[in-house]
Amino acid sequence: MENRGEATPGEPESATTYTSSSATAVAGSPDGRSRLYPSRSTLIGTTSVCLFALVWQGLASSGVIPAVVLPGPLDLVARAIYLAGPSSNPPFQLEGDILLTLSRLLGGFAVAALFAVPVGIVSAVSRPIALVLMPFVGVFMAIPALAIVPILMLLTGIGNATDFTVVVVTAFIPIVVYVYDGVRMIDRKYLWTSRSFGARSGDVFWHVIVPAAIVPLLAGFRMGMGYAWRSLIATESLTALTGGLGYTIFQASQFFDTRTIYLYMVVTAVLGFAIESAFRAAEIRTAVRWGTLASGKR
Amino acid sequence: MTAGTMEQGMQRTSGDVSSERPDAELGAAVPKVIEARHVRKIFAGTHGEPAVVAIDDISFDIRRREFTVFLGPSGCGKSTTLHMIGGFEQQTEGSLLLNGQAIRGPGPDRGIVFQDFVLFPWRTVLGNIAFGLEMMRCFTRAEISERARHYVEHLGLAGFANAYPSTLSGGMKQRVAIARTLAVQPEFVLMDEPFAALDAQARDRLIVDVSLIANEQNTTFLFVTHDIREAIRLADRILVFSPRPARIVESIAVTLPRPRDAYSAELLDVDRYMRSLIGTSPED
Ligand SMILES: Nc1ncnc2c1ncn2[C@@H]1O[C@H](COP(=O)(O)OP(=O)(O)OP(=O)(O)O)[C@@H](O)[C@H]1O
Ligand SMILES: [Mg+2]
């Protein structure tokens, strides 16, 4: 959103009012009450999750399924309180793992995006470059991330570098592919129009290509993040010295510590959901607000 | 039809219209700003398709401030001609001079307005109109805003400055596109069937507004259409294109004062004459 200020130079306060109210109307109920009361869809979603937890707890408490196979939500809460406290080993293990995994994920993702977006755009704009680069993208797309982990461990050791590199590599490919396709689909008249205003390459990039391809761009980010997230958790369990959510899940499985496994699964799901929500929010603040992407509300 | 009945509204030149000719309204003193000489355009076939000769051989001159309309049937090469002048495409043969210089790519001296508006959906109305001003990098934010607001008013968009294009009607969208182009005060405004996608009412109002703008601005308009009535209401001169591959078959100077009433007797006269000249209506 950083180019919004430049998009409407010198706009008075009323502009801000207009845009924020329209964003609210899109994000929540049309009457704009969504800031004060949870929307109906949020209520329904929360209710169904709570019901699920209740049934789960009932099943676990009834003893039909042994607690080792299926610990209940209350067990997980207790476990979470312990692992998040000072008496776990290492202390504050849960927070530590979340921080480690997230920093690898976000750091690696940022590096991937930083290179993948320009590569995708340049390939889309220049046919010779596409002819040189795209075969590699096709080949790398066909290699599962975990297949390169052994080689990365040889190259970079069983430390942070391997986890980090896996994120970079797995996020890179889908971002390039989506950006490449997205930019190629931009109506050339946008580029013509901007150039007929004397726009320079940098201006065309920031003011035209990026916003015009925002939907496929975000889709590529989403895919890249999704791939990277899965590969990272798996890789952490292989790079046995480095900690992180995947590592702890793997360790717990060695001791049949199912409560920790389930707890980390829930944590993984919640973090994944939060990341997905962030992308959805980015979509609502851009393409949905501009009217170029349906809000998806029915 | 005798030449006498036509004297009041128009003047006709056939064939190669680039040669020196008597010009009732503009006079030979007005400099030629665009000179096309034997321009030919062939689109190379891609994926095994045969090459398309879009433009066979066209020559014409356009003088400063002249409102020139390219009139011709669908697919005859009008847009291609405009795209070459805009610098988006290059001719295969012949020479195309802009103020005596060969055209090398697009530039801020030539603004373009498309049939489908091509507004930036991620910018508000004001943001769209400000785009070209921002690209010039010679104005402060306050100046950009002030200028853009002037064109918001000028094109009848007051109250919509902060709206996104997706919320506007077709007529409003085209007004934004025109305002965006005029805001940078280009020497040429190229318009490619700008009213073809609009309802009759919106089109009518825009024809009047563009006529008035053309009267007051120091701008050369190149306007593509396949609508005879639209051509007559706007043009100083109409270049009539043949079906593809394009040649220019007529050059008709229209000298009625603007804005022109679509149903005035003189205009209907010219309309009837044009239709007899072209034979079939270019609209189909
Ligand atoms: N990029 C291209 N590649 C191949 N052929 C093209 C290309 N652009 C245009 N043509 C062909 O050139 C011819 C002229 O096209 P052009 O768009 O200039 O016609 P037009 O007079 O503007 O018609 P319309 O009224 O449909 O807009 C058409 O036959 C078209 O199919
Ligand atoms: Mg056309």
Side-chain angles (χ1 to χ4, degrees):
Chain A
M1 290 312 300
E2 57 190 80
N3 65 352
R4 225 201 90 216
E6 288 170 50
T8 50
E11 241 174 59
E13 287 309 302
S14 64
T16 326
T17 319
Y18 173 85
T19 50
S20 64
S21 69
S22 81
T24 312
V26 169
S29 51
D31 56 10
R33 288 187 308 159
S34 57
R35 296 265 182 244
L36 296 175
Y37 305 98
S39 73
R40 217 175 68 176
S41 54
T42 312
L43 267 176
I44 295 173
T46 313
T47 312
S48 77
V49 169
C50 289
L51 272 176
F52 174 80
L54 264 176
V55 172
W56 177 6
Q57 184 63 49
L59 220 62
S61 307
S62 69
V64 179
I65 303 170
V68 181
V69 179
L70 184 71
L74 293 179
D75 292 329
L76 301 194
V77 170
R79 188 70 188 155
I81 290 169
Y82 171 73
L83 287 177
S87 40
S88 65
N89 178 32
F92 308 107
Q93 185 181 5
L94 182 59
E95 295 93 321
D97 284 338
I98 290 174
L99 267 178
L100 258 177
T101 299
L102 277 187
S103 60
R104 284 168 188 152
L105 182 77
L106 299 180
F109 182 84
V111 171
L114 200 68
F115 288 97
V117 171
V119 166
I121 289 177
V122 167
S123 308
V125 173
S126 154
R127 196 169 147 71
I129 293 179
L131 288 176
V132 171
L133 289 183
M134 281 300 140
F136 291 99
V137 172
V139 167
F140 268 99
M141 200 156 56
I143 303 176
L146 290 188
I148 62 167
V149 169
I151 293 165
L152 286 178
M153 293 207 289
L154 277 177
L155 288 172
T156 61
I158 49 176
N160 251 324
T162 296
D163 300 312
F164 186 81
T165 313
V166 162
V167 171
V168 175
V169 173
T170 46
F172 185 85
I173 298 296
I175 298 176
V176 169
V177 171
Y178 274 77
V179 169
Y180 174 72
D181 284 342
V183 171
R184 283 198 333 154
M185 279 187 297
I186 296 177
D187 186 342
R188 63 179 180 168
K189 282 184 273 178
Y190 281 125
L191 306 176
W192 285 4
T193 300
S194 53
R195 294 197 47 212
S196 81
F197 284 112
R200 304 169 193 187
S201 309
D203 292 324
V204 175
F205 177 87
W206 283 114
H207 292 288
V208 181
I209 291 180
V210 168
I214 194 76
V215 174
L217 194 79
L218 286 175
F221 282 180
R222 253 172 164 154
M223 293 298 283
M225 188 66 103
Y227 285 157
W229 180 235
R230 287 176 189 82
S231 326
L232 175 61
I233 299 292
T235 307
E236 282 178 342
S237 69
L238 297 176
T239 50
L241 284 179
T242 56
L245 293 170
Y247 169 78
T248 301
I249 291 176
F250 182 72
Q251 289 298 304
S253 76
Q254 307 272 299
F255 302 104
F256 295 103
D257 180 2
T258 43
R259 290 186 307 164
T260 300
I261 296 176
Y262 275 93
L263 170 65
Y264 272 55
M265 274 167 52
V266 171
V267 168
T268 309
V270 168
L271 290 178
F273 181 77
I275 290 167
E276 178 62 23
S277 305
F279 283 120
R280 179 64 190 153
E283 231 166 38
I284 286 172
R285 290 195 56 178
T286 56
V288 172
R289 178 156 66 105
W290 304 332
T292 53
L293 183 71
S295 70
K297 283 173 72 76
R298 271 165 292 178
Chain B
M1 178 106 6
T2 63
T5 49
M6 293 286 73
E7 263 160 19
Q8 40 189 308
M10 56 177 290
Q11 203 171 72
R12 174 187 165 192
T13 319
S14 295
D16 187 356
V17 295
S18 63
S19 52
E20 285 299 333
R21 65 199 161 79
D23 197 320
E25 187 74 344
L26 293 150
V30 181
K32 297 171 190 167
V33 283
I34 294 176
E35 294 167 86
R37 289 292 177 280
H38 303 295
V39 170
R40 185 174 169 85
K41 175 68 183 177
I42 301 173
F43 286 106
T46 48
H47 302 112
E49 290 162 34
V52 177
V53 183
I55 290 164
D56 184 22
D57 176 355
I58 55 172
S59 300
F60 57 84
D61 291 333
I62 289 170
R63 289 170 191 278
R64 171 154 297 144
R65 287 207 58 184
E66 198 175 37
F67 197 119
T68 307
V69 171
F70 297 163
L71 178 71
S74 208
C76 74
K78 308 179 295 293
S79 296
T80 305
T81 306
L82 209 62
H83 294 166
M84 289 189 297
I85 295 170
F88 311 122
E89 314 253 25
Q90 255 219 314
Q91 72 270 28
T92 317
E93 281 171 39
S95 87
L96 190 54
L97 301 183
L98 188 97
N99 290 322
Q101 303 271 312
I103 292 171
R104 233 179 250 115
D109 54 332
R110 284 152 289 150
I112 187 151
V113 176
F114 295 101
Q115 177 178 339
D116 49 354
F117 326 123
V118 197
L119 296 177
F120 302 124
W122 50 89
R123 285 174 170 246
T124 60
V125 166
L126 197 69
N128 267 280
I129 298 173
F131 182 87
L133 300 167
E134 288 173 32
M135 296 302 121
M136 291 166 86
R137 296 172 198 273
C138 57
F139 298 112
T140 65
R141 280 175 166 243
E143 286 167 343
I144 290 174
S145 173
E146 192 192 312
R147 267 221 200 195
R149 278 178 195 286
H150 169 76
Y151 282 92
V152 165
E153 300 284 332
H154 196 47
L155 268 292
L157 293 160
F160 292 91
N162 298 320
Y164 280 94
S166 62
T167 62
L168 303 181
S169 70
M172 289 295 223
K173 284 180 184 160
Q174 198 55 288
R175 284 174 183 275
V176 178
I178 293 170
R180 179 178 66 178
T181 299
L182 293 179
V184 297
Q185 303 187 334
E187 191 183 339
F188 300 90
V189 172
L190 319 181
M191 303 179 113
D192 193 353
E193 306 202 35
F195 309 145
L198 308 184
D199 63 88
Q201 255 190 329
R203 174 195 299 214
D204 200 64
R205 264 185 260 136
L206 267 164
I207 289 177
V208 172
D209 286 0
V210 167
S211 301
L212 293 172
I213 289 167
N215 277 349
E216 84 205 17
Q217 292 252 330
N218 192 21
T219 308
T220 308
F221 281 81
L222 308 182
F223 187 104
V224 165
T225 184
H226 56 244
D227 185 303
I228 294 179
R229 186 70 57 86
E230 204 170 273
I232 303 169
R233 288 183 67 188
L234 288 164
D236 290 318
R237 201 150 66 88
I238 304 174
L239 297 178
V240 183
F241 282 55
S242 72
R244 187 174 68 83
R247 286 178 153 274
I248 294 176
V249 291
E250 295 282 344
S251 165
I252 294 158
V254 183
T255 53
L256 302 169
R258 279 185 303 226
R260 297 166 184 160
D261 178 356
Y263 300 101
S264 72
E266 296 102 314
L267 206 131
L268 290 175
D269 256 2
V270 178
D271 187 311
R272 200 172 308 120
Y273 176 69
M274 294 268 313
R275 282 177 206 278
S276 74
L277 194 73
I278 294 167
T280 58
S281 155
E283 269 155 286
D284 44 47

